[in-house]
């Protein structure tokens, strides 16, 4: 395949057995060991054009990092990425912190960070000749897949848990996706997708190798927005963990390119819902892999993920960073959603609220210093979720 000018994508590497795979074909997990495949780039070639100055002058979207993204033809883009890094002085003061920030991913197309991953995944699917996509989703990924699928002219079959709120369904239907409701969790949706794919290409996160690449741009943006001096703490709401794994990969690539000093990465904090916390359980028990969570319950749809294919990558990133994994209750998330809304003017998704609730716990346990730069990831807008537990709406 002729590579588009700019992308230095070279091969896919299995994150477990290190086998190499060709980027000219569609792939899912490693066919030898079921490990997650990680895209690898020609970093020496990338370094010729990818530097602080060059990047600064490019378009305000995640495609400003195009050497380190997968594409051949023109990217399928709706302007995703380069979301604002906002100061959160009110919340900071209330927690005794001097330098608190919110990376506001709700300002992406379709209202969540899922846009980033779908832009790269749909771009590569189109480049590889795929015509029909299929995926399970908690809601936000489905809306994003529907949007990018529509733009690329690909069909999208979407499997959603039956309790997925109406706004997610409305959005995906309006964008032309075919919706299948499944009586169960996202894991049950995934099983149905695999059983019913029938030639359609499964773009489940991490089973498909390129959604990760879009999400890693959150890490590039953090570096750029902090003037190439990464913050001390990143707090991320973790379901499948693609964003966290992606940022960790981005930091690795930036270190290899000498764009950030090595060994000065943030502590990565994974926040999960108390009643769906497979990663936290494995973290606390010192395990490398997580067991499936039997009965996942939370109103934060994106955190209702009972098992993640990239569990070992999330756990490794959290541990290598010196971070922790912790839980918050649904009510703590809801209170934090309102605190963020009323304090900083951002109405976050419950998952965004979870990061603030998690930070509260870190502060209570003296696990962050007042002067540290701390970033909360508001991964989506609150507008697609019909309720905030405890909030009375007239
Ligand atoms: C708003 C929101 N935040 C966080 C997540 C979890 O994302 P990840 O799979 O990267 O852990 C999701 C996933 O659906 C989501 O929709
Ligand atoms: Zn392998």
């Amino acid at each position: 395949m002729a590579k588009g000018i700019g992308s230095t994508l070279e091969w896919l590497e299995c994150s477990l057995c290190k086998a190499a795979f060709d980027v000219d074909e569609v792939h899912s997990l490693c066919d030898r060991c079921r490990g997650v495949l990680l895209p690898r780039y020609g970093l020496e070639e990338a370094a010729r054009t990818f530097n602080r100055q060059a990047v600064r002058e490019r378009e305000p979207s995640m495609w400003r990092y195009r050497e380190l993204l997968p594409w051949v033809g023109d990217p399928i883009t709706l302007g995703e990425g380069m979301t604002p890094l906002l100061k959160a002085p009110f919340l900071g003061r209330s927690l005794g912190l001097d330098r608190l920030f919110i990376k506001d991913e709700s300002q992406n197309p379709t209202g969540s960070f899922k846009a980033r991953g779908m832009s790269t995944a749909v771009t590569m699917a189109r480049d590889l000749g795929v015509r029909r996509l299929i995926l399970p989703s908690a809601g936000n990924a489905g809306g994003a897949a529907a949007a990018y699928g529509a733009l690329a002219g690909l069909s999208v079959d979407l499997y959603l848990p039956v309790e997925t709120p109406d706004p997610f369904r409305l959005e995906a239907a309006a964008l032309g996706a075919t919706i299948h409701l499944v009586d169960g969790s996202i894991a049950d949706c995934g099983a149905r997708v695999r059983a019913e794919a029938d030639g359609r290409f499964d773009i489940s996160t991490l089973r498909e190798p390129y959604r990760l690449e879009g999400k890693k741009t959150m890490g590039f943006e953090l570096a750029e927005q902090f003037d190439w001096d990464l913050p001390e703490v990143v707090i991320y709401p973790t379901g499948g963990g693609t964003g966290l794994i992606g940022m960790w990969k981005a930091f690795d690539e930036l270190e290899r390119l000498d764009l950030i000093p090595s060994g000065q990465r943030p502590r990565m904090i994974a926040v999960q819902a108390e009643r769906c916390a497979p990663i936290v359980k494995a973290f606390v028990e010192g395990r490398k892999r997580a067991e499936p969570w039997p009965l996942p319950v939370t109103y934060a749809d994106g955190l209702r993920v009972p098992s993640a294919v990239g569990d070992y990558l999330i756990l490794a990133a959290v541990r290598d960073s010196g971070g922790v994994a912790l839980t918050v209750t649904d009510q703590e998330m809801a209170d934090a959603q309102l605190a963020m809304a009323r304090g900083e003017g951002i109405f976050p998704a419950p998952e965004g609220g979870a990061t603030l609730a998690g930070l509260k716990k870190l502060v209570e346990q003296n696990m962050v210093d007042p002067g540290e730069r701390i970033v909360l990831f508001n991964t989506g807008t609150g507008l697609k979720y019909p309720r905030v537990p405890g909030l009375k709406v007239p």
Side-chain angles (χ1 to χ4, degrees):
M1 187 198 298
K3 258 183 296 179
I5 298 166
S7 177
T8 64
L9 177 65
E10 286 192 342
W11 82 100
L12 293 165
E13 180 182 63
C14 174
S15 54
L16 285 176
C17 76
K18 307 295 170 198
F21 296 87
D22 209 319
V23 292
D24 285 1
E25 297 155 13
V26 292
H27 291 286
S28 179
L29 296 174
C30 173
D31 55 19
R32 297 173 205 178
C33 77
R34 314 294 293 155
V36 171
L37 301 186
L38 302 176
R40 297 297 185 202
Y41 297 83
L43 294 181
E44 272 180 30
E45 188 189 334
R48 283 190 215 131
T49 50
F50 190 96
N51 56 57
R52 295 177 183 186
Q53 181 60 32
V55 162
R56 186 175 303 136
E57 288 161 10
R58 293 182 185 171
E59 75 269 32
S61 92
M62 70 174 206
W63 288 96
R64 66 205 273 113
Y65 309 111
R66 54 185 169 249
E67 289 91 338
L68 300 179
L69 290 175
W71 56 289
V72 180
D74 286 339
I76 304 292
T77 177
L78 292 165
E80 54 293 321
M82 272 330 257
T83 55
L85 177 73
L86 301 166
K87 289 192 179 134
F90 176 84
L91 292 175
R93 262 197 309 280
S94 72
L95 290 165
L97 302 169
D98 298 333
R99 296 195 285 173
L100 181 61
F101 299 85
I102 298 170
K103 178 78 169 150
D104 190 14
E105 290 294 301
S106 71
Q107 299 195 35
N108 274 302
T110 69
S112 88
F113 74 131
K114 300 281 181 182
R116 297 175 184 265
M118 288 305 172
S119 179
T120 40
V122 173
T123 294
M124 277 306 276
R126 187 272 328 264
D127 287 346
L128 292 167
V130 169
R131 304 293 313 154
R132 300 187 302 152
L133 303 174
I134 186 168
L135 75 156
S137 167
N140 277 316
Y148 290 88
L151 182 60
L154 309 188
S155 75
V156 177
D157 274 83
L158 190 56
Y159 287 67
L160 299 172
V162 73
E163 69 255 46
T164 305
D166 285 346
F168 291 108
R169 304 188 203 187
L170 167 66
E171 178 184 42
L175 287 159
T178 303
I179 298 173
H180 310 258
L181 295 176
V182 177
D183 192 9
S185 76
I186 185 144
D188 302 302
C189 295
R192 282 273 301 276
V193 162
R194 289 189 285 287
E196 296 172 22
D198 190 26
R200 285 168 289 203
F201 182 54
D202 178 0
I203 52 166
S204 300
T205 196
L206 296 178
R207 288 178 188 273
E208 183 285 337
Y210 300 111
R211 281 173 67 178
L212 178 68
E213 296 305 285
K215 291 209 187 159
K216 86 179 174 190
T217 59
M218 295 189 291
F220 293 157
E221 287 174 27
L222 275 189
E224 204 184 345
Q225 290 174 323
F226 278 106
D227 203 16
W228 307 93
D229 179 17
L230 288 170
E232 284 74 27
V233 180
V234 166
I235 308 187
Y236 183 80
T238 304
T242 315
L244 191 149
I245 298 166
M247 282 191 267
W248 199 243
K249 182 173 190 280
F251 301 152
D252 187 60
E253 289 170 356
L254 293 179
E255 278 184 8
R256 286 168 196 269
L257 285 165
D258 275 334
L259 288 172
I260 56 170
S262 99
Q264 291 181 27
R265 301 191 194 182
R267 306 201 291 287
M268 304 299 284
I269 313 296
V271 182
Q272 296 202 298
E274 190 178 63
R275 294 169 75 194
C276 182
I279 299 298
V280 177
K281 183 166 183 286
F283 179 80
V284 171
E285 291 172 354
R287 292 177 202 266
K288 287 194 171 146
R289 302 217 60 151
E291 290 163 6
W293 192 268
L295 267 181
V297 183
T298 171
Y299 80 110
D301 298 275
L303 301 186
R304 204 166 53 239
V305 182
S307 66
V309 272
D311 55 355
Y312 62 98
L313 295 170
I314 306 170
L315 286 159
V318 169
R319 290 196 177 109
D320 290 352
S321 76
V324 292
L326 54 82
T327 62
V328 297
T329 66
D330 275 16
Q331 196 53 57
E332 288 167 340
M333 259 185 245
D335 294 344
Q337 259 185 295
L338 298 183
M340 192 182 286
R342 292 163 190 194
E344 305 294 350
I346 298 167
F347 177 33
E351 295 84 350
T355 64
L356 176 59
L359 173 60
K360 255 182 136 171
K361 298 201 165 169
L362 295 177
V363 170
E364 282 159 14
Q365 294 166 27
N366 290 320
M367 289 172 76
V368 289
D369 289 333
E372 287 186 317
R373 292 163 303 157
I374 300 170
V375 181
L376 305 176
F377 267 84
N378 175 36
T379 41
T381 173
L383 286 174
K384 292 198 219 173
Y385 302 73
R387 68 192 182 98
V388 180
L391 175 67
K392 291 208 173 26
V393 183

